[in-house]
Amino acid sequence: MCEGALITHNNIFARELAWRLFRDAADQDYLVARWAASVGLSHQFFWSAEQAIEKYLKCALLQNGHKVASSNHDIIALFNTASNISGNLLPTELNLPKEFDGPDSVSFLLKDFVADVCDQGSPNVRYRQIGVTLEGQDLHKIDEACFKFRRICFPLDLQYGNLPKTFRNILESDRRHHPHPMMSFERVGTMQQVQERLRIFKWRNFSYFEDTALELGEINAGFQVHRTPWNSFLDKSKESREAIRWILKSAKFDIAVKAELEEYL
């Protein structure tokens, strides 16, 4: 047991504070990612998905005695550490529901999806510096990832209530059990707001609502490609290239993106 885990084992306020600051914020980012997928906003999907994964993983690490002060936004490093402490609670491979199955894929590697979200949900996506591709399967992948990560946002080796078992024991014995099933967005707002949030949460969600996932229609298993605005300006007029040079000098952009554009120009 890590030294830092002692406070979350003995201090309910420490556990609660980590939940409120990280897990509850992740719940809301996750909901925004689902909403973005439902209306075809690919950039916003990946940005919110990255934020949700980052906060769930940071909460899991804090609850289990690991500091996250210097982790920045490296969700791959966070995932690797979380995998080490959680063992088989974070499976290597996850299956896709048959409604998402494509001709070449019926499963996916959790680590690969985290890497994909890290790439397409990087800070560069905020200003559309990079293009993204949102596949129909990504909706289920974010559901499964967030479901798995949220389950480990507990001190895993703490005794579970009055039972002679730990949180880890309970989660290992029932792969669909969730110690805190209520999401933070269910607890605040008007009844109408909560109902709308639940509609988005339940929409085609096999991870949390397998029995009702298709009530709102069939799964769209296609994909959407959203290119960066640079592509619309590079091969046009002298004025369009001048516009690119102007904005590169007038605003801050990723060093690699800027270097590639300047080389092309």
Side-chain angles (χ1 to χ4, degrees):
M1 183 187 304
C2 296
E3 181 181 354
L6 294 176
I7 188 169
T8 54
H9 276 229
N10 300 317
N11 187 330
I12 181 59
F13 295 103
R15 297 197 292 275
E16 191 75 20
L17 187 58
W19 286 329
R20 294 292 171 262
L21 289 174
F22 291 90
R23 187 200 61 189
D24 289 3
D27 286 349
Q28 294 171 27
D29 287 322
Y30 167 47
L31 184 68
V32 171
R34 297 201 96 256
W35 171 82
S38 74
V39 294
L41 296 178
S42 303
H43 283 88
Q44 194 59 45
F45 169 82
F46 283 109
W47 173 252
S48 298
E50 192 282 336
Q51 292 292 301
I53 290 174
E54 179 182 335
K55 291 165 189 170
Y56 280 136
L57 290 175
K58 285 183 175 179
C59 182
L61 295 182
L62 286 168
Q63 294 284 1
N64 288 280
H66 290 261
K67 295 181 180 180
V68 297
S70 61
S71 61
N72 296 320
H73 305 289
D74 187 352
I75 62 173
I76 296 177
L78 293 171
F79 172 79
N80 289 337
T81 305
S83 295
N84 290 335
I85 66 172
S86 61
N88 60 11
L89 292 177
L90 290 182
T92 301
E93 189 174 50
L94 294 168
N95 294 324
L96 292 163
K98 64 181 184 300
E99 288 81 3
F100 284 91
D101 290 354
D104 302 317
S105 177
V106 295
S107 63
F108 68 97
L109 299 180
L110 184 55
K111 186 173 184 177
D112 285 352
F113 178 65
V114 171
D116 187 41
V117 170
C118 182
D119 181 36
Q120 299 200 77
S122 74
N124 292 334
V125 81
R126 293 175 297 173
Y127 301 109
R128 308 300 186 261
Q129 296 183 57
I130 61 173
V132 299
T133 300
L134 175 62
E135 300 184 23
Q137 298 173 351
D138 288 333
L139 176 64
H140 179 67
K141 290 178 180 180
I142 191 61
D143 288 338
E144 274 294 274
C146 288
F147 183 88
K148 298 297 185 186
F149 297 152
R150 196 176 189 273
R151 289 177 84 234
I152 63 170
C153 290
F154 291 85
L156 294 175
D157 297 312
L158 179 67
Q159 182 177 339
Y160 190 97
N162 295 321
L163 298 176
K165 296 182 177 181
T166 63
F167 278 93
R168 186 187 301 274
N169 298 147
I170 296 296
L171 295 175
E172 287 176 340
S173 64
D174 184 352
R175 295 294 175 173
R176 305 312 297 177
H177 174 69
H178 211 304
H180 281 181
M182 179 174 281
M183 308 293 280
S184 63
F185 49 74
E186 298 180 63
R187 298 196 299 262
V188 295
T190 66
M191 182 177 297
Q192 182 178 0
Q193 288 172 330
V194 172
Q195 288 176 343
E196 176 61 14
R197 293 168 192 162
L198 287 174
R199 185 192 68 79
I200 297 168
F201 181 35
K202 293 179 179 180
W203 178 72
R204 301 172 182 177
N205 193 331
F206 287 85
S207 301
Y208 283 88
F209 306 100
E210 184 176 9
D211 294 339
T212 60
L214 289 179
E215 284 185 354
L216 295 180
E218 295 299 318
I219 292 295
N220 175 10
F223 63 92
Q224 302 174 49
V225 178
H226 290 267
R227 302 186 185 280
T228 171
W230 304 123
N231 298 93
S232 302
F233 290 80
L234 282 172
D235 296 316
K236 290 189 176 180
S237 65
K238 175 182 177 182
E239 287 78 9
S240 68
R241 293 191 292 275
E242 182 183 24
I244 293 177
R245 293 189 182 95
W246 161 74
I247 205 163
L248 288 177
K249 293 179 180 178
S250 303
K252 184 177 180 180
F253 294 98
D254 178 75
I255 295 175
V257 171
K258 187 175 181 179
E260 183 177 352
L261 287 168
E262 289 176 339
E263 182 179 354
Y264 184 89
L265 293 170

